[in-house]
């Protein structure tokens, strides 16, 4: 067992390591609903509270007064016991207690400096008045408490109010000494024994008060309770009996019934060595359990990172497939059917694209001039048809990717819970995707016109239409059919080399625009994962801090 207080350098090193551990725990968010992750969440929350409320302040100020937290079940008589120990009513018991209330800390006026500042329980607001705010800590100075000792009346550990239960757990985690109060009627209840089990595992200093015990049941109940304590690792915990009896007008028990408890606490306060022994026992036990519990959180962090990566990959796979499908379908000529094909045939037949071409296109012009029968607006109609086809293609495959990702995520508990926690329906494409796709295609078409205009002069609209047809059908045949005719027209205007260069540039521009659109759809899933705050570095930070705590403890153990 570590010997506390540690030598100065070792204490400083331990404090530094514990601060590192606290920072790692704060970063160890466990938001994904992974099976069996709840114990790790609970361990993380408990360690953060204990480091902040007890271990660090106690390690830094080892000579501070001994803090005794009086805890227990509803109806066990904790507040009455505290009032009777003090000899005055400082906390409201029984039915007079509000649904929620502040914890009450009683200390000697000489020790005020230890508790008026947030040395311990820094997140609880200090107040001198009774309060129903569970986020407050009522401070009561009383000369009935000897210097070197403080008594804190905690809420019920089994309260119907969750805030009270949470606060009770936090306060017990900040205690040097647990004064656990139960009654003859409820000493075998499960909830108190879960707390006592944790105390035994952490070697916390615990004393048991068997309150409200009928005189004729004292021997039987106390014997049974002592056996239960021994079986659960608490054999050395003092056991005090408070017999059942009436309270006076102030709500206090007869002084004789609490004399033994008061004398024991006073002796701890008066004996520096005994008081330090209790403090060291609890502090050492709390520090000793940190590495094991930290590894539990580290394992859970590892699972979080892996699950997050799996969910991210599922989205990537679905949207990569969508992008590939869009790329293939926009290049294999499948869009050059239906309305697009009709308008292309009308457009070529009109002879618009042939007007003004250089003499090198004369033979091609002669071949198609007899088929001229269209009107100038055919180019615009063809552009609109291309826009409509590309837009529908994008939306179709984005819808498919969204549905695939949603299904893949819902196959995992973590993914299903995450999807259910957000208001947006990610199983469908974004509501504004159709408009964004339309805008993207128009911008691409404008870019085609700009590039062709730099090469083709006043024939840029007709040549732009031909280039779109070639780009949308370049993976198909280029020697006959729709795209082939477009290619011949372009080659007649620009030459084969320039045509290929322009087609490649325009195709690349379209691919990049499709990539950005699909990526924006995928980011809806990725953004949800990023917002979880899961860190890949936390696992090793936790393990490193845990190992160093053990190294420091073992280095100062007596040989």
């Amino acid at each position: 067992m570590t010997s506390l207080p540690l030598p100065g350098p070792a204490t400083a090193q331990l404090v530094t390591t514990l601060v590192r551990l606290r920072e790692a725990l704060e970063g160890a968010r466990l938001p994904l609903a992974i099976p069996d992750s709840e114990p790790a969440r609970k361990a993380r929350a408990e360690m953060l509270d204990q480091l902040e409320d007890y271990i660090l302040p106690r390690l830094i100020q080892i000579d501070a007064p001994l803090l005794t937290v009086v805890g227990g079940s509803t109806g066990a008589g904790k507040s009455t016991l505290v009032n009777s120990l003090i000899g005055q009513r400082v906390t409201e018991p029984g039915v007079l207690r509000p649904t929620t209330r502040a914890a009450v800390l009683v200390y000697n006026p000489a020790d005020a400096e230890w508790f008026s500042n947030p040395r311990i329980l820094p997140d609880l607001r200090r107040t001198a008045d009774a309060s129903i705010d569970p986020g407050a800590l009522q401070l009561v100075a009383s000369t009935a408490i000897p210097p070197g000792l403080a008594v804190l009346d905690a809420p019920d550990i089994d309260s119907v109010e969750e805030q009270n239960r949470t606060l009770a757990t936090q306060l017990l985690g900040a205690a040097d000494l647990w004064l656990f109060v139960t009654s003859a009627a409820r000493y075998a209840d499960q909830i108190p024994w879960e707390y006592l089990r944790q105390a035994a595992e952490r070697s916390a200093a615990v004393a048991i008060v068997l309150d409200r015990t009928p005189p004729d049941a004292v021997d039987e109940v106390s014997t049974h309770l002592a056996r239960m304590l021994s079986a659960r690792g608490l054999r050395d915990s003092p056991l005090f009996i408070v017999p059942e009896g009436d309270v006076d007008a102030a709500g206090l028990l007869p002084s004789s019934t609490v004399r033994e408890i008061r004398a024991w606490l006073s002796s701890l306060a008066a004996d520096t060595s005994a008081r330090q022994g209790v403090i060291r026992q609890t502090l050492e036990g709390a520090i000793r359990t940190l590495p094991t519990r930290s590894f539990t959180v580290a394992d859970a962090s590892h699972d979080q990172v892996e699950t997050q990566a799996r969910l991210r990959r599922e989205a990537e796979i679905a949207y990569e497939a969508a992008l590939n499908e869009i790329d293939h379908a926009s290049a294999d000529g499948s869009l050059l059917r239906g309305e697009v094909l009709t308008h292309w045939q009308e457009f070529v037949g009109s002879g618009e694209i042939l007007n003004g071409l250089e003499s090198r296109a004369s033979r091609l012009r002669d071949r198609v001039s007899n088929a001229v029968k269209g009107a100038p607006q055919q180019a615009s109609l063809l552009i609109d048809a291309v826009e409509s086809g590309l837009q529908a293609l994008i939306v179709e495959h984005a819808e498919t990717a969204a549905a695939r990702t949603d299904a893949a995520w819902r196959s995992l508990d973590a993914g299903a819970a995450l999807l259910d926690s957000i208001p947006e329906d990610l199983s469908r494409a974004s509501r504004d995707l159709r408009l964004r796709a339309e805008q993207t295609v128009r911008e691409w078409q404008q870019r085609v016109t700009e590039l062709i205009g730099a090469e083709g002069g006043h024939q840029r609209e007709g040549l732009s239409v031909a280039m779109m047809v070639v780009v949308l059908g370049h993976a198909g045949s280029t020697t006959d059919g729709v795209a082939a005719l477009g290619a011949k027209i372009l080659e007649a205007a620009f030459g084969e080399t320039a045509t290929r260069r322009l087609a490649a540039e325009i195709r690349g521009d379209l691919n990049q625009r499709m990539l950005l659109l699909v990526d924006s759809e995928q980011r809806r899933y990725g953004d949800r994962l990023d917002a979880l705050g899961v860190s890949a570095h936390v696992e090793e930070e936790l393990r490193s801090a845990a190992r160093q705590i053990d190294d420091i403890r073992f280095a100062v153990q007596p040989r």
Side-chain angles (χ1 to χ4, degrees):
M1 181 179 292
T2 309
S3 178
L4 294 173
L6 299 170
T11 297
Q13 186 182 14
L14 182 57
V15 168
T16 300
T17 304
L18 291 172
V19 170
R20 282 179 46 223
L21 175 61
R22 181 184 63 189
E23 292 172 351
L25 286 168
E26 288 172 344
R29 302 184 62 187
L30 308 175
L32 290 170
I34 299 173
D36 303 323
S37 60
E38 191 55 39
R41 289 193 190 94
K42 183 178 179 182
R44 171 185 176 271
E46 289 176 351
M47 283 192 288
L48 280 171
D49 282 343
Q50 201 167 32
L51 282 165
E52 191 74 24
D53 296 338
Y54 178 65
I55 294 175
L56 285 169
R58 173 51 79 188
L59 192 59
I60 294 169
Q61 296 178 311
I62 198 73
D63 295 325
L66 185 148
L67 178 60
T68 301
V69 175
V70 182
S73 303
T74 303
K78 300 184 304 299
S79 298
T80 299
L81 178 67
V82 170
N83 290 336
S84 301
L85 288 171
I86 306 303
Q88 66 184 84
R89 196 185 192 98
V90 294
T91 181
E92 295 297 333
V95 295
L96 297 178
R97 180 180 302 164
T99 303
T100 58
R101 69 175 180 95
V104 180
L105 176 63
V106 189
Y107 56 90
N108 188 278
D111 294 328
E113 63 174 317
W114 294 108
F115 302 107
S116 58
N117 62 59
R119 180 189 68 87
I120 61 167
L121 302 168
D123 58 334
L124 295 183
R125 176 180 58 84
R126 270 50 175 176
T127 178
D129 302 317
S131 173
I132 61 172
D133 178 11
L137 179 63
Q138 181 186 352
L139 301 180
V140 178
S142 173
T143 55
I145 290 284
L149 175 70
V151 175
L152 194 156
D153 181 24
D156 302 328
I157 59 174
D158 58 353
S159 172
V160 295
E161 290 291 325
E162 182 179 359
Q163 285 180 306
N164 281 347
R165 297 194 304 272
T166 301
L167 180 57
T169 301
Q170 180 184 0
L171 296 176
L172 287 169
D176 293 309
L177 170 65
W178 291 16
L179 193 60
F180 223 85
V181 183
T182 186
S183 66
R186 303 196 59 183
Y187 71 92
D189 287 359
Q190 180 179 354
I191 293 178
W193 283 103
E194 176 61 24
Y195 280 84
L196 291 171
R197 180 191 64 78
Q198 295 176 22
E201 288 178 352
R202 301 174 192 179
S203 302
V206 179
I208 311 297
V209 177
L210 184 60
D211 198 12
R212 299 178 176 176
T213 309
D216 58 353
V218 167
D219 290 341
E220 178 184 356
V221 174
S222 62
T223 299
H224 185 215
L225 178 55
R227 286 201 301 268
M228 293 178 70
L229 291 169
S230 179
R232 289 163 175 78
L234 295 167
R235 175 182 303 177
D236 297 329
S237 297
L239 174 58
F240 300 100
I241 310 297
V242 177
E244 188 175 48
D246 296 330
V247 296
D248 61 18
L252 307 181
L253 294 167
S255 180
S256 60
T257 63
V258 296
R259 182 180 297 120
E260 186 179 5
I261 303 172
R262 185 189 293 121
W264 181 68
L265 291 174
S266 297
S267 68
L268 287 177
D271 187 337
T272 301
S273 177
R275 185 172 71 250
Q276 288 295 311
V278 170
I279 292 171
R280 285 197 301 271
Q281 175 185 338
T282 300
L283 181 57
E284 289 169 353
I287 294 173
R288 173 179 54 79
T289 64
L290 288 175
T292 300
R293 291 190 285 164
S294 296
F295 278 117
T296 298
V297 179
D299 291 341
S301 295
H302 176 82
D303 293 341
Q304 292 278 321
V305 171
E306 283 203 333
T307 301
Q308 183 192 48
R310 178 175 175 182
L311 292 173
R312 194 183 301 277
R313 185 57 187 152
E314 294 288 359
E316 290 172 351
I317 290 171
Y319 283 94
E320 283 174 6
L323 186 61
N324 289 335
E325 289 294 330
I326 292 171
D327 180 65
H328 180 73
S330 64
D332 66 357
S334 60
L335 287 178
L336 303 181
R337 300 189 181 106
E339 189 178 5
V340 174
L341 177 59
T342 298
H343 289 305
W344 168 248
Q345 290 172 337
E346 293 172 347
F347 171 69
V348 173
S350 71
E352 290 179 33
I353 196 167
L354 304 179
N355 295 329
L357 290 179
E358 300 297 335
S359 60
R360 59 185 171 175
S362 60
R363 284 174 295 174
L364 177 61
R365 182 169 56 245
D366 291 341
R367 192 173 67 184
V368 298
S369 60
N370 293 330
V372 175
K373 57 180 179 297
Q377 68 267 26
Q378 294 305 324
S380 295
L381 292 174
L382 181 53
I383 288 173
D384 290 344
V386 169
E387 176 190 311
S388 178
L390 278 172
Q391 179 198 58
L393 181 68
I394 294 164
V395 172
E396 174 191 351
H397 289 290
E399 289 280 6
T400 300
R404 286 177 177 173
T405 306
D406 181 83
W409 278 31
R410 289 192 181 280
S411 69
L412 299 175
D413 291 343
L418 180 56
L419 289 172
D420 290 341
S421 70
I422 58 180
E424 183 182 357
D425 180 11
L426 297 186
S427 68
R428 300 291 307 274
S430 300
R431 292 182 179 181
D432 65 344
L433 176 62
R434 189 172 298 277
L435 291 176
R436 289 189 290 118
E438 178 182 315
Q439 180 64 28
T440 295
V441 175
R442 286 180 179 175
E443 290 173 354
W444 172 70
Q445 291 175 324
Q446 179 61 37
R447 180 58 179 160
V448 173
T449 302
E450 291 173 358
L451 289 172
I452 293 297
E455 301 275 350
H458 68 281
Q459 285 294 310
R460 64 180 184 175
E461 184 176 58
L463 293 172
S464 296
V465 169
M467 179 59 77
M468 292 177 201
V469 169
V470 169
V471 167
L472 296 178
H474 85 279
S477 172
T478 59
T479 59
D480 57 11
V482 177
L485 179 57
K488 289 180 178 180
I489 292 172
L490 290 168
E491 289 170 5
F494 303 130
E496 183 177 349
T497 300
T499 296
R500 290 182 181 276
R501 174 179 56 78
L502 281 170
E505 182 176 353
I506 289 168
R507 181 71 218 181
D509 184 69
L510 178 62
N511 287 347
Q512 181 62 26
R513 294 176 191 273
M514 297 301 101
L515 172 63
L516 293 175
L517 264 182
V518 173
D519 184 63
S520 71
E521 289 295 290
Q522 180 184 328
R523 277 204 308 274
R524 298 183 306 150
Y525 284 95
D527 288 347
R528 266 62 185 187
L529 294 174
D530 293 340
L532 297 175
V534 175
S535 170
H537 305 293
V538 164
E539 177 190 356
E540 182 51 37
E541 291 170 358
L542 287 168
R543 297 188 191 281
S544 175
R547 288 190 291 264
Q548 190 163 5
I549 290 170
D550 274 339
D551 290 345
I552 295 170
R553 289 180 56 246
F554 295 146
V556 298
Q557 279 185 346
R559 300 294 182 181

